[in-house]
Amino acid sequence: LEYAAQLEQKRQFVEKALRRLPREMQVAARSDTQRERWRMPWLSQERLNQRHGLPCPVAPVLPAAATHGYRNKCEFTIGRDEDGSVAVGFTLGTVRERKHVVGRADGVPT
């Protein structure tokens, strides 16, 4: 997935979560007393309509200065490679397919 598309996907994820918020707050406030106490101008139907269902504006996702040369999380598998040697890397294939081998992480761009 291209980096620009990843940023757009993240923005859409945030917007989707924010669109659920008003409904979830209404469900959480079961009694009339709770609903009145939780009534907030930013959750009014008028405001939600103005923002296409969003309770607040959503700023664009800020791109990272460096998009290559780092990893924020790595999980490696220890097992056997295609030659049967012990290897540290990434799982290739599946147990179901009986093609469960480890591809070495050497030379993988970060």
Side-chain angles (χ1 to χ4, degrees):
L1 193 57
E2 292 294 322
Y3 188 62
Q6 290 177 39
L7 297 177
E8 176 60 21
Q9 191 175 52
K10 288 177 184 182
R11 186 191 60 76
Q12 289 175 3
F13 178 80
V14 170
E15 284 188 359
K16 184 177 178 182
L18 285 172
R19 280 191 178 95
R20 285 193 312 260
L21 182 64
R23 287 189 302 273
E24 290 178 4
M25 288 183 73
Q26 287 175 347
V27 169
R30 296 184 197 283
S31 73
D32 289 336
T33 306
Q34 285 177 316
R35 268 195 210 107
E36 188 59 39
R37 188 174 34 178
W38 284 24
R39 190 171 305 236
M40 297 175 200
W42 53 274
L43 289 177
S44 72
Q45 195 59 51
E46 181 181 348
R47 291 262 180 101
L48 292 173
N49 290 341
Q50 290 171 354
R51 293 192 177 110
H52 307 287
L54 294 169
C56 60
V58 177
V61 177
L62 299 176
T67 59
H68 292 80
Y70 73 95
R71 290 263 184 218
N72 61 359
K73 179 180 179 182
C74 290
E75 293 183 16
F76 297 102
T77 300
I78 300 172
R80 303 262 178 203
D81 64 13
E82 291 178 327
D83 298 329
S85 301
V86 174
V88 176
F90 303 100
T91 302
L92 305 175
T94 65
V95 175
R96 178 188 286 168
E97 296 171 340
R98 295 181 184 220
K99 295 180 183 176
H100 190 255
V101 297
V102 175
R104 295 185 179 277
D106 303 345
V108 174
T110 58

